[in-house]
Amino acid sequence: MPLYNNKTIKTIKSMSLIIPKNYKQTLMPETTETAIQTLKRTFQEKLAQELKLRRVTAPLFVLSGTGINDDLNGVERAVRFPVRDLDGQMAEIVHSLAKWKRMKLAAYRITPGYGLYTDMNAIRGDEELDNLHSLYVDQWDWERTILPENRNIEYLKHTVRSIYAILKEIEQIVYEQFPHITPTLPDDITFIHSEELLQQYPDLSPRERENRILEKFRAVFIIGIGGALSNGEKHDGRAPDYDDWSTANDDGYTGLNGDIFLWNDVLKIAFELSSMGIRVDKDTLTRQLDLCGCPERKSLVFHSALLNDELPLSIGGGIGQSRLCMFFLKKAHIGEVQASIWPEKQIEICKANNIILL
């Protein structure tokens, strides 16, 4: 995938950085901090209003062995520690809150058409640190109760369009406050299934396919993340016990989930902003656990509750807070909008190219 005038610099092991040519900060650090506050407050207010969500307080950690924490791609290790007053029982920092939120929908008896959102903070020690990935993850996790008849691709698309409309509003708000940051998003978001993407670009890797389709349409929702495609490979990994990636949808493919991507004009790459989807029901949970070779999870707390009809049907997802700020403020590195730790070599390279990490 050509990077135009940008260049990719290898730093440590597999880490890599994209360094935009002649990069200039759109806002100074002090102004950036104020803009971050405005963006986060405004977006969550609009998200809550549009999707009928109420804010709840989220945990930073959960007990190990309960099945409540998310497994992401199934290979990331959770940060774990013993709890002295629980006889050394292990707790772990959350990866995300997909399953926890669904349990809260049940606990608060939230009716269909309404839901909740929260500020999710996580530590992912296995991330490869680069322009988009940090040890620290902050996102809005949201979940909404739905009816059985809502478990279809059109309901998923309707929800995606609602979120995209908010993104367009945010872009306009940024422009009104900082007129030199001009809007770039198209009027509408494009939908494409990961299998269609494979058929269009069979010789490209999943990341290259994303770059190619985003360069063309600039805002895309890629449907069907987690299931095997016709070439026997997955477009990307997804745990078997929250998103429904194996149910046949109205377009003739499988998958009631996906990712929102925007074209990043600074880095010249596809930029994933949100992962979301209709959640598994009892049948889908059983099927996907079997497909992934982990049927023993059925006995865990979350899984038992779902199989015993104790949890509502739902749709939900996560929207990156730092990524949203990075995109709309035209930053080249996520470290320009959040405080984290980085390899010294990466800090030096960024500083030499006018990328100032917080």
Side-chain angles (χ1 to χ4, degrees):
M1 192 274 300
L3 290 177
Y4 303 92
N5 291 327
N6 293 352
K7 58 182 177 180
T8 301
I9 296 179
K10 293 290 182 180
T11 55
I12 301 173
K13 296 180 180 178
S14 60
M15 298 180 197
S16 61
L17 289 175
I18 298 173
I19 303 298
K21 186 177 181 180
N22 300 322
Y23 175 70
K24 295 180 180 179
Q25 299 181 62
T26 54
L27 301 173
M28 296 304 293
E30 296 84 354
T31 308
T32 296
E33 295 278 15
T34 302
I36 290 171
Q37 181 183 22
T38 300
L39 284 180
K40 288 188 176 185
R41 182 186 68 252
T42 305
F43 180 84
Q44 69 180 17
E45 289 174 352
K46 289 182 176 295
L47 181 71
Q49 181 179 26
E50 178 66 27
L51 298 186
K52 299 182 176 64
L53 310 175
R54 70 187 194 190
R55 190 187 184 283
V56 298
T57 300
L60 178 60
F61 41 82
V62 295
L63 289 175
S64 301
T66 60
I68 297 174
N69 201 0
D70 295 332
D71 296 299
L72 303 177
N73 292 316
V75 297
E76 295 87 349
R77 299 170 297 172
V79 177
R80 306 174 75 233
F81 60 93
V83 182
R84 185 186 62 183
D85 282 359
L86 294 179
D87 297 324
Q89 189 172 352
M90 298 301 292
E92 56 192 40
I93 306 295
V94 297
H95 276 147
S96 79
L97 296 170
K99 289 178 279 188
W100 178 88
K101 292 176 298 179
R102 195 167 177 182
M103 297 177 74
K104 280 299 178 184
L105 288 179
Y108 292 155
R109 299 181 180 179
I110 296 179
T111 57
Y114 297 85
L116 53 83
Y117 78 96
T118 190
D119 289 296
M120 193 285 297
N121 296 287
I123 300 172
R124 298 180 184 173
D126 288 335
E127 288 284 12
E128 295 181 0
L129 307 181
D130 56 25
N131 299 74
L132 307 184
H133 298 92
S134 169
L135 298 176
Y136 170 63
V137 179
D138 57 340
Q139 65 184 33
W140 291 285
D141 256 332
W142 64 273
E143 200 80 10
R144 191 182 190 194
T145 304
I146 62 174
L147 296 168
E149 54 263 36
N150 299 138
R151 298 192 79 258
N152 59 72
I153 195 69
E154 287 307 317
Y155 187 86
L156 174 64
K157 289 181 178 180
H158 174 77
T159 307
V160 170
R161 291 189 181 101
S162 295
I163 295 173
Y164 185 70
I166 301 171
L167 296 176
K168 289 282 292 178
E169 289 185 56
I170 294 297
E171 185 178 51
Q172 188 63 32
I173 289 171
V174 171
Y175 172 67
E176 290 171 359
Q177 293 192 10
F178 310 106
H180 62 291
I181 303 179
T182 53
T184 60
L185 292 178
D187 291 338
D188 301 306
I189 188 168
T190 297
F191 294 88
I192 189 169
H193 194 279
S194 53
E195 177 63 35
E196 295 178 271
L197 203 53
L198 171 63
Q199 293 173 8
Q200 287 189 27
Y201 308 110
D203 299 325
L204 301 182
S205 70
R207 299 292 82 77
E208 291 169 335
R209 296 197 289 270
E210 290 168 0
N211 286 328
R212 190 66 64 85
I213 199 71
L214 262 297
E215 185 180 2
K216 182 177 181 180
F217 291 108
R218 304 186 69 82
V220 178
F221 185 77
I222 299 178
I223 304 168
I225 307 294
L229 304 178
S230 59
N231 63 355
E233 301 175 357
K234 300 176 181 179
H235 182 84
D236 201 356
R238 195 61 50 88
D241 43 17
Y242 50 100
D243 279 358
D244 183 340
W245 41 257
S246 62
T247 294
N249 64 52
D250 298 341
D251 293 332
Y253 299 100
T254 58
L256 295 175
N257 72 335
D259 294 335
I260 295 176
F261 285 88
L262 307 176
W263 177 251
N264 189 307
D265 276 311
V266 177
L267 300 177
K268 306 298 182 186
I269 59 170
F271 186 86
E272 182 186 338
L273 183 63
S274 174
S275 171
M276 59 176 287
I278 291 172
R279 307 307 197 184
V280 293
D281 59 12
K282 292 195 299 183
D283 293 339
T284 312
L285 174 65
T286 300
R287 178 169 64 247
Q288 292 182 178
L289 290 177
D290 289 341
L291 284 171
C292 293
C294 50
E296 70 281 356
R297 292 190 192 178
K298 296 174 187 177
S299 63
L300 297 174
V301 173
F302 169 84
H303 307 71
S304 296
L306 179 55
L307 294 172
N308 290 329
D309 295 314
E310 297 170 8
L311 302 179
L313 298 175
S314 68
I315 184 174
I319 302 169
Q321 295 188 16
S322 290
R323 286 202 179 188
L324 181 140
C325 295
M326 177 185 171
F327 180 85
F328 286 115
L329 300 180
K330 306 299 182 184
K331 300 295 185 178
H333 196 291
I334 198 167
E336 294 180 273
V337 295
Q338 67 157 238
S340 186
I341 56 177
W342 313 94
E344 284 298 324
K345 184 63 174 178
Q346 190 166 149
I347 295 173
E348 293 173 6
I349 294 173
C350 286
K351 186 176 181 180
N353 288 276
N354 204 33
I355 302 172
I356 309 302
L357 306 184
L358 299 180

